[in-house]
PDB file of all heavy atoms in Angstrom:
ATOM      1  N   GLU A  13      30.622 -25.068  13.061  1.00 95.00           N
ATOM      2  CA  GLU A  13      31.156 -24.246  14.144  1.00 95.00           C
ATOM      3  C   GLU A  13      30.788 -24.805  15.499  1.00 95.00           C
ATOM      4  O   GLU A  13      31.589 -24.823  16.413  1.00 95.00           O
ATOM      5  CB  GLU A  13      30.647 -22.814  14.000  1.00 95.00           C
ATOM      6  CG  GLU A  13      31.174 -22.162  12.723  1.00 95.00           C
ATOM      7  CD  GLU A  13      30.746 -20.722  12.573  1.00 95.00           C
ATOM      8  OE1 GLU A  13      30.153 -20.158  13.511  1.00 95.00           O
ATOM      9  OE2 GLU A  13      31.018 -20.160  11.494  1.00 95.00           O
ATOM     10  N   GLU A  82      31.136 -29.800   1.266  1.00 97.00           N
ATOM     11  CA  GLU A  82      32.156 -29.439   0.276  1.00 97.00           C
ATOM     12  C   GLU A  82      31.620 -29.589  -1.142  1.00 97.00           C
ATOM     13  O   GLU A  82      31.779 -28.707  -1.986  1.00 97.00           O
ATOM     14  CB  GLU A  82      33.404 -30.320   0.452  1.00 97.00           C
ATOM     15  CG  GLU A  82      34.456 -30.010  -0.617  1.00 97.00           C
ATOM     16  CD  GLU A  82      35.819 -30.642  -0.325  1.00 97.00           C
ATOM     17  OE1 GLU A  82      36.327 -30.471   0.797  1.00 97.00           O
ATOM     18  OE2 GLU A  82      36.375 -31.295  -1.240  1.00 97.00           O
ATOM     19  N   LYS A  91      27.935 -24.046 -11.027  1.00 88.00           N
ATOM     20  CA  LYS A  91      26.654 -23.900 -11.729  1.00 88.00           C
ATOM     21  C   LYS A  91      26.357 -22.458 -12.126  1.00 88.00           C
ATOM     22  O   LYS A  91      26.359 -21.552 -11.315  1.00 88.00           O
ATOM     23  CB  LYS A  91      25.520 -24.418 -10.839  1.00 88.00           C
ATOM     24  CG  LYS A  91      24.145 -24.327 -11.496  1.00 88.00           C
ATOM     25  CD  LYS A  91      23.125 -25.164 -10.752  1.00 88.00           C
ATOM     26  CE  LYS A  91      22.899 -24.699  -9.317  1.00 88.00           C
ATOM     27  NZ  LYS A  91      21.872 -25.462  -8.621  1.00 88.00           N
ATOM     28  N   PHE A  96      17.572 -13.175 -12.322  1.00 76.00           N
ATOM     29  CA  PHE A  96      17.061 -11.896 -12.766  1.00 76.00           C
ATOM     30  C   PHE A  96      15.791 -11.636 -12.009  1.00 76.00           C
ATOM     31  O   PHE A  96      14.926 -12.494 -11.978  1.00 76.00           O
ATOM     32  CB  PHE A  96      16.762 -11.954 -14.265  1.00 76.00           C
ATOM     33  CG  PHE A  96      17.604 -10.987 -15.031  1.00 76.00           C
ATOM     34  CD1 PHE A  96      18.723 -11.409 -15.715  1.00 76.00           C
ATOM     35  CD2 PHE A  96      17.270  -9.651 -15.037  1.00 76.00           C
ATOM     36  CE1 PHE A  96      19.508 -10.506 -16.411  1.00 76.00           C
ATOM     37  CE2 PHE A  96      18.042  -8.739 -15.745  1.00 76.00           C
ATOM     38  CZ  PHE A  96      19.165  -9.159 -16.441  1.00 76.00           C
ATOM     39  N   TYR A 100      12.465  -6.990 -13.456  1.00 90.00           N
ATOM     40  CA  TYR A 100      12.869  -6.800 -14.845  1.00 90.00           C
ATOM     41  C   TYR A 100      11.793  -7.271 -15.803  1.00 90.00           C
ATOM     42  O   TYR A 100      11.516  -6.610 -16.809  1.00 90.00           O
ATOM     43  CB  TYR A 100      14.207  -7.506 -15.105  1.00 90.00           C
ATOM     44  CG  TYR A 100      15.394  -6.749 -14.533  1.00 90.00           C
ATOM     45  CD1 TYR A 100      15.581  -6.670 -13.159  1.00 90.00           C
ATOM     46  CD2 TYR A 100      16.293  -6.106 -15.356  1.00 90.00           C
ATOM     47  CE1 TYR A 100      16.647  -5.967 -12.623  1.00 90.00           C
ATOM     48  CE2 TYR A 100      17.377  -5.398 -14.832  1.00 90.00           C
ATOM     49  CZ  TYR A 100      17.547  -5.340 -13.465  1.00 90.00           C
ATOM     50  OH  TYR A 100      18.593  -4.642 -12.938  1.00 90.00           O
ATOM     51  N   TYR A 108       2.484  -2.227 -21.742  1.00 92.00           N
ATOM     52  CA  TYR A 108       1.068  -2.446 -22.039  1.00 92.00           C
ATOM     53  C   TYR A 108       0.144  -1.607 -21.156  1.00 92.00           C
ATOM     54  O   TYR A 108      -1.045  -1.567 -21.387  1.00 92.00           O
ATOM     55  CB  TYR A 108       0.694  -3.923 -21.842  1.00 92.00           C
ATOM     56  CG  TYR A 108       1.358  -4.859 -22.808  1.00 92.00           C
ATOM     57  CD1 TYR A 108       2.270  -5.811 -22.362  1.00 92.00           C
ATOM     58  CD2 TYR A 108       1.068  -4.793 -24.156  1.00 92.00           C
ATOM     59  CE1 TYR A 108       2.885  -6.678 -23.255  1.00 92.00           C
ATOM     60  CE2 TYR A 108       1.676  -5.659 -25.058  1.00 92.00           C
ATOM     61  CZ  TYR A 108       2.580  -6.592 -24.596  1.00 92.00           C
ATOM     62  OH  TYR A 108       3.180  -7.442 -25.472  1.00 92.00           O
ATOM     63  N   LYS A 113       1.060   5.883 -14.543  1.00 96.00           N
ATOM     64  CA  LYS A 113       1.123   5.092 -13.305  1.00 96.00           C
ATOM     65  C   LYS A 113       2.501   4.457 -13.128  1.00 96.00           C
ATOM     66  O   LYS A 113       3.047   4.427 -12.033  1.00 96.00           O
ATOM     67  CB  LYS A 113       0.048   4.006 -13.327  1.00 96.00           C
ATOM     68  CG  LYS A 113      -1.352   4.576 -13.235  1.00 96.00           C
ATOM     69  CD  LYS A 113      -2.393   3.483 -13.153  1.00 96.00           C
ATOM     70  CE  LYS A 113      -3.792   4.105 -13.184  1.00 96.00           C
ATOM     71  NZ  LYS A 113      -4.842   3.084 -13.376  1.00 96.00           N
ATOM     72  N   ARG A 121      10.122   3.725  -6.291  1.00 95.00           N
ATOM     73  CA  ARG A 121      11.057   2.615  -6.238  1.00 95.00           C
ATOM     74  C   ARG A 121      12.497   3.112  -6.272  1.00 95.00           C
ATOM     75  O   ARG A 121      13.365   2.611  -5.559  1.00 95.00           O
ATOM     76  CB  ARG A 121      10.790   1.668  -7.410  1.00 95.00           C
ATOM     77  CG  ARG A 121      11.761   0.538  -7.529  1.00 95.00           C
ATOM     78  CD  ARG A 121      11.636  -0.420  -6.339  1.00 95.00           C
ATOM     79  NE  ARG A 121      12.610  -1.474  -6.418  1.00 95.00           N
ATOM     80  CZ  ARG A 121      12.330  -2.759  -6.621  1.00 95.00           C
ATOM     81  NH1 ARG A 121      11.090  -3.134  -6.726  1.00 95.00           N
ATOM     82  NH2 ARG A 121      13.273  -3.646  -6.688  1.00 95.00           N
ATOM     83  N   ARG A 154      26.767  -6.630  -2.172  1.00 91.00           N
ATOM     84  CA  ARG A 154      25.398  -6.141  -2.022  1.00 91.00           C
ATOM     85  C   ARG A 154      25.333  -4.672  -2.450  1.00 91.00           C
ATOM     86  O   ARG A 154      24.434  -4.263  -3.183  1.00 91.00           O
ATOM     87  CB  ARG A 154      25.007  -6.262  -0.556  1.00 91.00           C
ATOM     88  CG  ARG A 154      23.601  -5.871  -0.261  1.00 91.00           C
ATOM     89  CD  ARG A 154      23.029  -6.784   0.802  1.00 91.00           C
ATOM     90  NE  ARG A 154      21.675  -7.191   0.607  1.00 91.00           N
ATOM     91  CZ  ARG A 154      21.078  -7.411  -0.539  1.00 91.00           C
ATOM     92  NH1 ARG A 154      21.702  -7.199  -1.670  1.00 91.00           N
ATOM     93  NH2 ARG A 154      19.834  -7.809  -0.594  1.00 91.00           N
ATOM     94  N   HIS A 157      25.773  -4.328  -6.314  1.00 93.00           N
ATOM     95  CA  HIS A 157      24.608  -4.766  -7.073  1.00 93.00           C
ATOM     96  C   HIS A 157      23.468  -3.766  -6.970  1.00 93.00           C
ATOM     97  O   HIS A 157      22.785  -3.500  -7.953  1.00 93.00           O
ATOM     98  CB  HIS A 157      24.141  -6.146  -6.614  1.00 93.00           C
ATOM     99  CG  HIS A 157      24.827  -7.253  -7.335  1.00 93.00           C
ATOM    100  ND1 HIS A 157      24.503  -7.614  -8.620  1.00 93.00           N
ATOM    101  CD2 HIS A 157      25.851  -8.054  -6.970  1.00 93.00           C
ATOM    102  CE1 HIS A 157      25.295  -8.593  -9.008  1.00 93.00           C
ATOM    103  NE2 HIS A 157      26.124  -8.884  -8.019  1.00 93.00           N
ATOM    104  N   ASP A 171      13.449   7.081 -19.914  1.00 95.00           N
ATOM    105  CA  ASP A 171      12.684   6.667 -21.091  1.00 95.00           C
ATOM    106  C   ASP A 171      11.180   6.613 -20.831  1.00 95.00           C
ATOM    107  O   ASP A 171      10.383   6.872 -21.732  1.00 95.00           O
ATOM    108  CB  ASP A 171      13.159   5.292 -21.590  1.00 95.00           C
ATOM    109  CG  ASP A 171      14.267   5.425 -22.634  1.00 95.00           C
ATOM    110  OD1 ASP A 171      14.805   6.541 -22.802  1.00 95.00           O
ATOM    111  OD2 ASP A 171      14.581   4.416 -23.289  1.00 95.00           O
TER     112      ASP A 171
ATOM    113  N   GLU B  13      -1.936  -9.612 -26.513  1.00 94.00           N
ATOM    114  CA  GLU B  13      -1.607  -9.481 -27.928  1.00 94.00           C
ATOM    115  C   GLU B  13      -2.512 -10.340 -28.802  1.00 94.00           C
ATOM    116  O   GLU B  13      -2.950  -9.915 -29.846  1.00 94.00           O
ATOM    117  CB  GLU B  13      -0.146  -9.858 -28.155  1.00 94.00           C
ATOM    118  CG  GLU B  13       0.787  -8.874 -27.468  1.00 94.00           C
ATOM    119  CD  GLU B  13       2.248  -9.167 -27.724  1.00 94.00           C
ATOM    120  OE1 GLU B  13       2.555 -10.038 -28.552  1.00 94.00           O
ATOM    121  OE2 GLU B  13       3.083  -8.513 -27.075  1.00 94.00           O
ATOM    122  N   GLU B  82      -2.498  -4.986 -14.728  1.00 97.00           N
ATOM    123  CA  GLU B  82      -2.001  -3.665 -14.324  1.00 97.00           C
ATOM    124  C   GLU B  82      -1.589  -3.658 -12.860  1.00 97.00           C
ATOM    125  O   GLU B  82      -0.512  -3.185 -12.494  1.00 97.00           O
ATOM    126  CB  GLU B  82      -3.070  -2.592 -14.561  1.00 97.00           C
ATOM    127  CG  GLU B  82      -2.617  -1.217 -14.061  1.00 97.00           C
ATOM    128  CD  GLU B  82      -3.499  -0.073 -14.537  1.00 97.00           C
ATOM    129  OE1 GLU B  82      -3.799  -0.010 -15.744  1.00 97.00           O
ATOM    130  OE2 GLU B  82      -3.878   0.768 -13.684  1.00 97.00           O
ATOM    131  N   LYS B  91       7.298  -3.457  -4.955  1.00 88.00           N
ATOM    132  CA  LYS B  91       7.848  -4.395  -3.980  1.00 88.00           C
ATOM    133  C   LYS B  91       9.374  -4.478  -4.039  1.00 88.00           C
ATOM    134  O   LYS B  91       9.947  -4.733  -5.080  1.00 88.00           O
ATOM    135  CB  LYS B  91       7.247  -5.783  -4.213  1.00 88.00           C
ATOM    136  CG  LYS B  91       7.775  -6.836  -3.247  1.00 88.00           C
ATOM    137  CD  LYS B  91       6.896  -8.076  -3.242  1.00 88.00           C
ATOM    138  CE  LYS B  91       6.872  -8.761  -4.594  1.00 88.00           C
ATOM    139  NZ  LYS B  91       6.135 -10.031  -4.571  1.00 88.00           N
ATOM    140  N   PHE B  96      19.485 -12.281  -4.362  1.00 76.00           N
ATOM    141  CA  PHE B  96      20.912 -12.546  -4.279  1.00 76.00           C
ATOM    142  C   PHE B  96      21.126 -13.985  -4.625  1.00 76.00           C
ATOM    143  O   PHE B  96      20.465 -14.846  -4.079  1.00 76.00           O
ATOM    144  CB  PHE B  96      21.394 -12.275  -2.858  1.00 76.00           C
ATOM    145  CG  PHE B  96      22.397 -11.183  -2.810  1.00 76.00           C
ATOM    146  CD1 PHE B  96      22.036  -9.910  -2.415  1.00 76.00           C
ATOM    147  CD2 PHE B  96      23.705 -11.433  -3.181  1.00 76.00           C
ATOM    148  CE1 PHE B  96      22.984  -8.892  -2.380  1.00 76.00           C
ATOM    149  CE2 PHE B  96      24.655 -10.426  -3.142  1.00 76.00           C
ATOM    150  CZ  PHE B  96      24.298  -9.151  -2.751  1.00 76.00           C
ATOM    151  N   TYR B 100      26.500 -16.371  -3.923  1.00 90.00           N
ATOM    152  CA  TYR B 100      27.057 -15.502  -2.885  1.00 90.00           C
ATOM    153  C   TYR B 100      27.105 -16.198  -1.536  1.00 90.00           C
ATOM    154  O   TYR B 100      28.075 -16.081  -0.799  1.00 90.00           O
ATOM    155  CB  TYR B 100      26.271 -14.188  -2.823  1.00 90.00           C
ATOM    156  CG  TYR B 100      26.606 -13.252  -3.959  1.00 90.00           C
ATOM    157  CD1 TYR B 100      26.230 -13.553  -5.260  1.00 90.00           C
ATOM    158  CD2 TYR B 100      27.327 -12.083  -3.745  1.00 90.00           C
ATOM    159  CE1 TYR B 100      26.549 -12.719  -6.316  1.00 90.00           C
ATOM    160  CE2 TYR B 100      27.652 -11.234  -4.799  1.00 90.00           C
ATOM    161  CZ  TYR B 100      27.259 -11.561  -6.085  1.00 90.00           C
ATOM    162  OH  TYR B 100      27.587 -10.734  -7.118  1.00 90.00           O
ATOM    163  N   TYR B 108      35.180 -22.626   4.880  1.00 92.00           N
ATOM    164  CA  TYR B 108      35.296 -23.850   5.671  1.00 92.00           C
ATOM    165  C   TYR B 108      35.922 -24.995   4.897  1.00 92.00           C
ATOM    166  O   TYR B 108      36.216 -26.030   5.461  1.00 92.00           O
ATOM    167  CB  TYR B 108      33.916 -24.319   6.153  1.00 92.00           C
ATOM    168  CG  TYR B 108      33.252 -23.373   7.113  1.00 92.00           C
ATOM    169  CD1 TYR B 108      32.073 -22.723   6.783  1.00 92.00           C
ATOM    170  CD2 TYR B 108      33.818 -23.145   8.368  1.00 92.00           C
ATOM    171  CE1 TYR B 108      31.464 -21.856   7.668  1.00 92.00           C
ATOM    172  CE2 TYR B 108      33.208 -22.274   9.256  1.00 92.00           C
ATOM    173  CZ  TYR B 108      32.030 -21.636   8.901  1.00 92.00           C
ATOM    174  OH  TYR B 108      31.434 -20.790   9.776  1.00 92.00           O
ATOM    175  N   LYS B 113      40.665 -26.189  -3.825  1.00 96.00           N
ATOM    176  CA  LYS B 113      39.533 -26.587  -4.664  1.00 96.00           C
ATOM    177  C   LYS B 113      38.672 -25.384  -5.029  1.00 96.00           C
ATOM    178  O   LYS B 113      38.218 -25.246  -6.166  1.00 96.00           O
ATOM    179  CB  LYS B 113      38.684 -27.634  -3.949  1.00 96.00           C
ATOM    180  CG  LYS B 113      39.405 -28.952  -3.777  1.00 96.00           C
ATOM    181  CD  LYS B 113      38.513 -30.008  -3.141  1.00 96.00           C
ATOM    182  CE  LYS B 113      39.325 -31.269  -2.876  1.00 96.00           C
ATOM    183  NZ  LYS B 113      38.590 -32.226  -2.032  1.00 96.00           N
ATOM    184  N   ARG B 121      34.705 -20.600 -13.192  1.00 95.00           N
ATOM    185  CA  ARG B 121      33.503 -19.781 -13.144  1.00 95.00           C
ATOM    186  C   ARG B 121      33.763 -18.388 -13.699  1.00 95.00           C
ATOM    187  O   ARG B 121      32.951 -17.814 -14.420  1.00 95.00           O
ATOM    188  CB  ARG B 121      33.010 -19.698 -11.696  1.00 95.00           C
ATOM    189  CG  ARG B 121      31.827 -18.792 -11.491  1.00 95.00           C
ATOM    190  CD  ARG B 121      30.603 -19.338 -12.206  1.00 95.00           C
ATOM    191  NE  ARG B 121      29.477 -18.435 -12.056  1.00 95.00           N
ATOM    192  CZ  ARG B 121      28.388 -18.695 -11.345  1.00 95.00           C
ATOM    193  NH1 ARG B 121      28.259 -19.830 -10.733  1.00 95.00           N
ATOM    194  NH2 ARG B 121      27.418 -17.833 -11.253  1.00 95.00           N
ATOM    195  N   ARG B 154      21.155  -6.784 -18.367  1.00 90.00           N
ATOM    196  CA  ARG B 154      21.789  -8.100 -18.239  1.00 90.00           C
ATOM    197  C   ARG B 154      23.307  -7.962 -18.323  1.00 90.00           C
ATOM    198  O   ARG B 154      24.048  -8.558 -17.548  1.00 90.00           O
ATOM    199  CB  ARG B 154      21.284  -8.974 -19.382  1.00 90.00           C
ATOM    200  CG  ARG B 154      21.747 -10.395 -19.312  1.00 90.00           C
ATOM    201  CD  ARG B 154      20.666 -11.301 -19.829  1.00 90.00           C
ATOM    202  NE  ARG B 154      20.524 -12.535 -19.114  1.00 90.00           N
ATOM    203  CZ  ARG B 154      20.743 -12.727 -17.826  1.00 90.00           C
ATOM    204  NH1 ARG B 154      21.161 -11.750 -17.055  1.00 90.00           N
ATOM    205  NH2 ARG B 154      20.548 -13.906 -17.285  1.00 90.00           N
ATOM    206  N   HIS B 157      24.730  -6.205 -15.133  1.00 93.00           N
ATOM    207  CA  HIS B 157      24.727  -7.077 -13.958  1.00 93.00           C
ATOM    208  C   HIS B 157      25.817  -8.134 -14.031  1.00 93.00           C
ATOM    209  O   HIS B 157      26.472  -8.424 -13.038  1.00 93.00           O
ATOM    210  CB  HIS B 157      23.361  -7.742 -13.772  1.00 93.00           C
ATOM    211  CG  HIS B 157      22.424  -6.909 -12.966  1.00 93.00           C
ATOM    212  ND1 HIS B 157      22.531  -6.775 -11.607  1.00 93.00           N
ATOM    213  CD2 HIS B 157      21.382  -6.144 -13.325  1.00 93.00           C
ATOM    214  CE1 HIS B 157      21.590  -5.970 -11.167  1.00 93.00           C
ATOM    215  NE2 HIS B 157      20.863  -5.565 -12.201  1.00 93.00           N
TER     216      HIS B 157
END
Side-chain angles (χ1 to χ4, degrees):
Chain A
E13 295 183 7
E82 177 168 309
K91 181 165 63 177
F96 242 101
Y100 284 70
Y108 294 115
K113 292 184 185 169
R121 175 66 183 247
R154 183 143 220 33
H157 272 283
D171 269 12
Chain B
E13 294 183 8
E82 176 167 312
K91 179 164 63 174
F96 242 101
Y100 284 69
Y108 295 115
K113 293 184 185 169
R121 176 66 182 249
R154 185 145 218 32
H157 272 285

